Amino acid sequence: MSVLGRTTLKWGLLVVAAIGALFVGQFLAPAGSVTAQVFDALLTTSYASAVLRVSVPIGFAALGGIFAEKSGVINIGIEGFLVLSALSSVVAFHGLAEAGVGTTAALWTAFLAGILVSVAAAAVFAVFVIRYEADQVIAGLAIWLISLGVAPFVSLVLFESVNSPSVETFGTWRIPLLADIPGIGPVLFDASPMVYLLLVATPVSWYVLRHTRLGRRIRASGENPRALDTAGVSVSRTRYVGVLLSGVLCGIGGAGFTLGQLGRFVGAGQTSIDGRGFLGIVAYLFGNYNPITSLGGALLFASFDSLQLRLQQISELDVPSALFGVLPFIVVIVVLTLIGGTRLPAALGQHYDDEE
Amino acid sequence: MTSVWDRLERLFDALLGLSASERILLSLAAVVAAIVVGMGIILAAGSMAACSSPKLVVFGVQFCYDPIEVYTVLIGGAFGNSYNVAATLQRTTLLLCTGLSFAIAYKGGLFNIGAQGQFVLGSLATTVVVLALAPLAPTGVAGGALLVSAGVLAGCVVGGLYGLLPGFLKVQYDTNEVITTLLLNFIATAVAFVLVDRYFNDETVQGTATESIPDVATLDPRVFPQGSEFSLPVFVLALVVVGLFFYLLTRTTIGYDIQSVGTQPKAAAFGGVSERFTTLFSMTLAGVIAGLGGAIFILMVLGRWQSGAPSVGFDGIAVSILAGNNPIGLIPAGLLFGALDSGSQAIEFQLDVPGELIGVLQGLIILFVATPELFRMLGSHLDRRGTVDLRNEGADR
């Protein structure tokens, strides 16, 4: 069995064991005790729905990161792309709503606008790191810092506050019949269109990377750019494609989070994106650059993020909410420590000059 | 004719190591490029903003902000009077600490994105220790000296331990320090907030804050006017620390080991340098110096711990990168970012231009500094067209 197959099996078994433990725990815990309350809060369809919803920005950030890194470009700027698309989707929605465009049309157009802005930012980043050979980690950090400044700045200029006013959200799309299946129906088939998009984009990304010519080129560009060059394919162009796809996916993540879930942009502190892009990066490290297992990582972090919200509601648990808020980050560090070093693409972070 | 530039170049190279002059040129070019792009952003934002009396009207387009005016006010706000200079130097002092924190790790081939968390926890440790010792300490100068040194020690130790943690995870479990140090910032902020909220909160003030430390433990303004929260001796001390680090890196064995692990890990391993030890050492030192910044922040600036620390940890990364991670280069770079920070308040109050603009400007500077190739290409392009003859002026004639 391949290494990847074994990893998948290992994590799959772990997840099944965890869910099994939840059921057994709920059965064993005395009714009304804090433990029982925790289990009750977790074994609900609303918790499962929340996990899926919360995993949207993390999952798309992870997919975006995979395409950039597989092509050989370290992309620490993911968080910045999410911030930019989150803000621009809100700005676009406001402009369209004020112009009298209907809600549904405005939502989808604003969603596209968010993606476009993210792609534009990715294009700038790509030119800097590919054409002008900028240090990838530092340039990525710069993209993040610039976005942390630009987004509240633009919000202040347009809305006179770093936080935007509220906007409509996509709501949920109920798929008839399937949504009536007990248990998984309300979770999987009465969800936000952004959740469906993530559940489709993940296998598609896997297929593209694994079985298409583009995917093979992207992987070669990150593993052995010289071979790709020798085969007559431009490494730079392949990397541009990788980074731009990263921009598209991160744009979906940022705009999808804002228009699909939160309904506004918060510019204070770390903005409403609040580290989700970084969680995305850890999700693909966790998933070893495989889109499917990375979605597993995204779901894991999302489950802890939703968990902390629910734990806050159990009054007997006298733990400050701020500590619950960092629970996902602590889990990330523990998980990263446990999985150890990930095998990175061999040419990651290295510049390559095409021999023309 | 040997130009002044050539002589300067040799001086810089002798002082700072090879190609330092090129770095200085690149950093200057990056700052200029960021200022120019910043102008574009100010104009673009000004065309979107709504205002009653536009500053500029070009071809019927109204611009609410005038870039020249923004930069003028920025400079005035940073250096206009002694209070402003004190604010600039105060910020510079803190940035020197967090900048050094990034630089020392970077020299060892590591990214310490965690100076912010080390700073926050260090400042909390300083506050708690000073508050705890205050009732026991003798009065007068002796008590002050005791409290200040205990506070500084506490800040350095806690900062150092918080830097050691990701270093340990790195050497023991091969955990990527870019991610861990970054996430540890979020965790430090939350942990410090909760600790203060639960155990050290001063109920008489709004928000989450500790009691104020006693006056004997505060570092009073020297040379600069009362109320400026800046003490010149502390700045001098920070410069001495910078000098010590320069000495450590260039003149000691451990400094040499750190640099060799950072630049040539394989050769270093072959030469018997322990990568584990240098990683642990440089990460701990990075934490210590960021914690020192936190101690200075409490003892000299704020006088108590309160939520919402300034983002000197993240800005320190920018300062260090601008300085080419060279300790001596940190001084002008720290001064520039200190000036940007203190000037940002002036543009906000006097011009109603959001101070967040400065964050954008700082990010742009890093982006351009990370991209030396851009300026090299630009330089050789201009060279070929014969319009600019930057470095070969002396040689050609």
Side-chain angles (χ1 to χ4, degrees):
Chain A
M1 195 188 275
S2 70
V3 176
L4 192 65
R6 240 178 289 144
T7 317
T8 316
L9 187 71
K10 193 174 72 187
W11 286 105
L13 284 175
L14 202 69
V15 170
V16 170
I19 294 174
L22 272 179
F23 276 100
V24 173
Q26 189 210 23
F27 185 72
L28 292 179
S33 71
V34 177
T35 331
Q37 282 188 50
V38 172
F39 285 126
D40 284 344
L42 296 188
L43 287 167
T44 57
T45 50
S46 75
Y47 175 68
S49 300
V51 170
L52 277 180
R53 210 165 45 236
V54 171
S55 68
V56 166
I58 306 174
F60 274 109
L63 291 181
I66 290 174
F67 276 97
E69 295 229 336
K70 275 283 181 187
S71 77
V73 177
I74 303 170
N75 188 359
I76 304 268
I78 285 175
E79 174 93 359
F81 297 151
L82 292 189
V83 171
L84 289 178
S85 61
L87 173 81
S88 39
S89 62
V90 168
V91 171
F93 182 85
H94 261 274
L96 291 163
E98 270 179 21
V101 179
T103 304
T104 312
L107 272 175
W108 285 105
T109 321
F111 179 60
L112 285 180
I115 298 173
L116 271 182
V117 169
S118 169
V119 172
V124 173
F125 174 68
V127 169
F128 269 84
V129 297
I130 299 168
R131 171 87 171 82
Y132 295 113
E133 302 185 355
D135 183 297
Q136 295 174 354
V137 174
I138 295 175
L141 269 176
I143 293 287
W144 175 45
L145 292 174
I146 292 172
S147 308
L148 269 187
V150 161
F153 176 73
V154 171
S155 181
L156 266 170
V157 167
L158 292 178
F159 305 123
E160 287 169 5
S161 157
V162 291
N163 305 330
S164 82
S166 294
V167 295
E168 301 285 331
T169 56
F170 281 111
T172 60
W173 284 4
R174 191 184 152 81
I175 298 176
L177 295 177
L178 287 176
D180 296 325
I181 305 172
I184 62 164
V187 177
L188 278 180
F189 302 111
D190 189 6
S192 162
M194 296 302 127
V195 171
Y196 297 137
L197 213 49
L198 177 64
L199 295 179
V200 172
T202 304
V204 168
S205 301
W206 176 82
Y207 182 81
V208 167
L209 273 175
R210 201 78 226 158
H211 294 294
T212 65
R213 197 172 63 171
L214 175 68
R216 277 194 293 276
R217 285 182 177 176
I218 286 180
R219 282 184 289 136
S221 158
E223 294 291 349
N224 194 343
R226 179 157 296 279
L228 188 67
D229 196 9
T230 312
V233 181
S234 161
V235 173
S236 306
R237 216 170 293 165
T238 312
R239 289 187 171 175
Y240 274 115
V241 172
V243 176
L244 288 179
L245 279 176
S246 177
V248 173
L249 291 160
C250 293
I252 299 177
F257 169 64
T258 307
L259 299 177
Q261 184 186 341
L262 193 66
R264 65 195 298 232
F265 175 78
V266 180
Q270 301 290 319
T271 77
S272 45
I273 295 302
D274 203 13
R276 287 180 173 80
F278 296 116
L279 288 179
I281 294 178
V282 188
Y284 71 70
L285 289 178
F286 171 90
N288 215 353
Y289 295 89
N290 177 332
I292 312 272
T293 42
S294 301
L295 176 65
L299 288 170
L300 178 73
F301 303 143
S303 68
F304 276 96
D305 206 11
S306 313
L307 172 69
Q308 55 102 357
L309 287 177
R310 260 141 232 269
L311 291 183
Q312 284 180 32
Q313 288 159 5
I314 298 174
S315 51
E316 286 98 331
L317 276 177
D318 183 32
V319 180
S321 59
L323 271 193
F324 278 133
V326 293
L327 189 60
F329 297 138
I330 295 173
V331 171
V332 164
I333 292 180
V334 172
V335 165
L336 262 187
T337 302
L338 291 178
I339 62 173
T342 315
R343 206 198 72 77
L344 308 173
L348 188 63
Q350 292 171 11
H351 301 298
Y352 187 82
D353 282 322
D354 281 317
E355 284 160 23
E356 317 218 8
Chain B
M1 181 185 99
T2 3
S3 68
V4 181
W5 174 250
D6 277 344
R7 243 176 292 164
L8 265 180
E9 183 173 330
R10 250 179 283 136
L11 180 69
F12 280 134
D13 285 349
L15 261 177
L16 304 174
L18 211 67
S19 82
S21 45
E22 194 196 33
R23 270 235 56 99
I24 293 170
L25 250 193
L26 285 172
S27 296
L28 284 177
V31 172
V32 171
I35 288 174
V36 172
V37 176
M39 281 191 176
I41 291 176
I42 296 170
L43 281 176
S47 69
M48 290 193 297
C51 55
S52 46
S53 54
K55 293 277 165 67
L56 288 171
V57 179
V58 184
F59 299 123
V61 183
Q62 297 190 342
F63 296 100
C64 290
Y65 314 137
D66 173 1
I68 304 292
E69 192 187 19
V70 169
Y71 286 125
T72 317
V73 171
L74 186 70
I75 294 169
F79 300 109
N81 57 42
S82 55
Y83 277 101
N84 294 344
V85 174
T88 299
L89 290 179
Q90 179 216 86
R91 199 37 95 87
T92 306
T93 311
L94 301 177
L95 289 173
L96 283 179
C97 292
T98 52
L100 265 182
S101 173
F102 183 83
I104 189 86
Y106 190 90
K107 288 286 183 187
L110 301 158
F111 279 92
N112 177 29
I113 318 285
Q116 185 74 28
Q118 295 146 13
F119 177 90
V120 166
L121 285 189
S123 61
L124 178 61
T126 301
T127 317
V128 169
V129 164
V130 169
L131 285 177
L133 289 182
L136 311 172
T139 50
V141 183
L146 179 79
L147 289 178
V148 168
S149 26
V152 168
L153 186 69
C156 289
V157 167
V158 168
L161 288 175
Y162 210 59
L164 175 64
L165 176 63
F168 173 74
L169 292 179
K170 169 108 184 159
V171 298
Q172 196 67 28
Y173 302 105
D174 200 13
T175 313
N176 186 330
E177 86 284 0
V178 177
I179 305 283
T180 47
T181 51
L182 202 130
L183 297 181
L184 283 171
N185 290 328
F186 297 112
I187 296 171
T189 307
V191 167
F193 180 88
V194 168
L195 284 178
V196 172
D197 195 45
R198 282 279 157 127
Y199 305 109
F200 308 112
N201 204 2
D202 181 358
E203 302 297 340
T204 60
V205 294
Q206 270 215 326
T208 302
T210 63
E211 287 170 29
S212 291
I213 57 173
D215 283 340
V216 287
T218 50
L219 302 166
D220 291 326
R222 292 283 149 81
V223 181
F224 284 91
Q226 283 295 322
S228 59
E229 292 167 349
F230 172 69
S231 187
L232 197 61
V234 177
F235 180 67
V236 174
L237 185 81
L239 292 182
V240 170
V241 172
V242 168
L244 283 177
F245 269 75
F246 182 67
Y247 179 82
L248 175 91
L249 277 173
T250 54
R251 301 279 184 276
T252 64
T253 323
I254 178 74
Y256 179 78
D257 287 353
I258 289 175
Q259 298 218 46
S260 65
V261 166
T263 48
Q264 291 284 339
K266 281 192 184 127
F270 188 72
V273 178
S274 163
E275 190 179 346
R276 284 175 65 94
F277 177 75
T278 52
T279 296
L280 290 175
F281 181 77
S282 57
M283 284 304 287
T284 307
L285 207 55
V288 167
I289 191 79
L292 174 68
I296 292 176
F297 180 60
I298 295 302
L299 299 172
M300 184 176 83
V301 182
L302 213 52
R304 60 151 57 118
W305 193 94
Q306 67 181 37
S307 57
S311 67
V312 286
F314 294 118
D315 295 352
I317 302 172
V319 167
S320 179
I321 291 169
L322 178 60
N325 305 301
N326 181 310
I328 304 296
L330 285 175
I331 298 167
L335 200 59
L336 173 72
F337 273 62
L340 286 175
D341 279 334
S342 66
S344 73
Q345 298 182 352
I347 64 166
E348 197 153 341
F349 289 128
Q350 291 178 34
L351 297 179
D352 219 12
V353 174
E356 275 77 5
L357 177 69
I358 299 307
V360 182
L361 217 52
Q362 294 174 338
L364 284 171
I365 294 176
I366 314 183
L367 184 61
F368 286 120
V369 171
T371 322
E373 218 42 41
L374 176 67
F375 299 105
R376 282 201 197 103
M377 285 188 192
L378 199 69
S380 62
H381 180 68
L382 292 176
D383 237 12
R384 245 181 286 128
R385 290 173 49 187
T387 46
V388 173
D389 198 21
L390 266 184
R391 297 192 52 198
N392 298 324
E393 206 169 13
D396 286 350
R397 277 174 211 165

